[in-house]
Amino acid sequence: LAIDVEKLCPLDTFQKNAGEFLQALRDSRKAPTGPGRIWTAGEPENDARVERMGQGGMKVPVPLQKNMLALRDTRPGLKEKYEKFPFEE
């Protein structure tokens, strides 16, 4: 589902309100026996991505690299969009 929030309010207003709402949610009182953090949608995945990128990125297995190269080289438009993958460096 996609919603054009600018039909409802200015984008900066939406971003400010959404940010404040999510921060209030994260700042909520935690359960005494819980993990100590309230996660919102996408946070665990983003934290993992940031950690991987800090370690040089995600390692792509050689068989998957070969598949990605074959797709790029045989599908129209992909060669221009993905001139070089990070694992080709």
Side-chain angles (χ1 to χ4, degrees):
L1 174 66
I3 298 172
D4 183 357
V5 297
E6 290 183 290
K7 300 287 186 196
L8 305 171
C9 67
L11 183 58
D12 59 336
T13 300
F14 173 80
Q15 290 173 329
K16 179 181 176 291
N17 290 343
E20 289 174 358
F21 173 78
L22 291 172
Q23 191 59 54
L25 183 63
R26 287 185 211 106
D27 291 342
S28 297
R29 191 173 52 147
K30 282 77 171 173
T33 58
R37 179 172 178 179
I38 295 175
W39 297 89
T40 55
E43 281 188 311
E45 296 83 359
N46 185 63
D47 287 357
R49 182 189 63 79
V50 168
E51 183 178 339
R52 280 192 307 270
M53 296 309 287
Q55 298 170 357
M58 190 172 93
K59 306 299 180 230
V60 179
V62 174
L64 180 56
Q65 290 179 19
K66 291 178 182 177
N67 288 343
M68 291 170 69
L69 291 168
L71 283 171
R72 180 191 65 193
D73 294 341
T74 58
R75 302 287 191 226
L78 292 183
K79 189 85 169 171
E80 295 77 24
K81 187 172 183 179
Y82 303 104
E83 293 178 17
K84 190 172 187 179
F85 290 116
F87 58 78
E88 292 183 285
E89 296 176 1

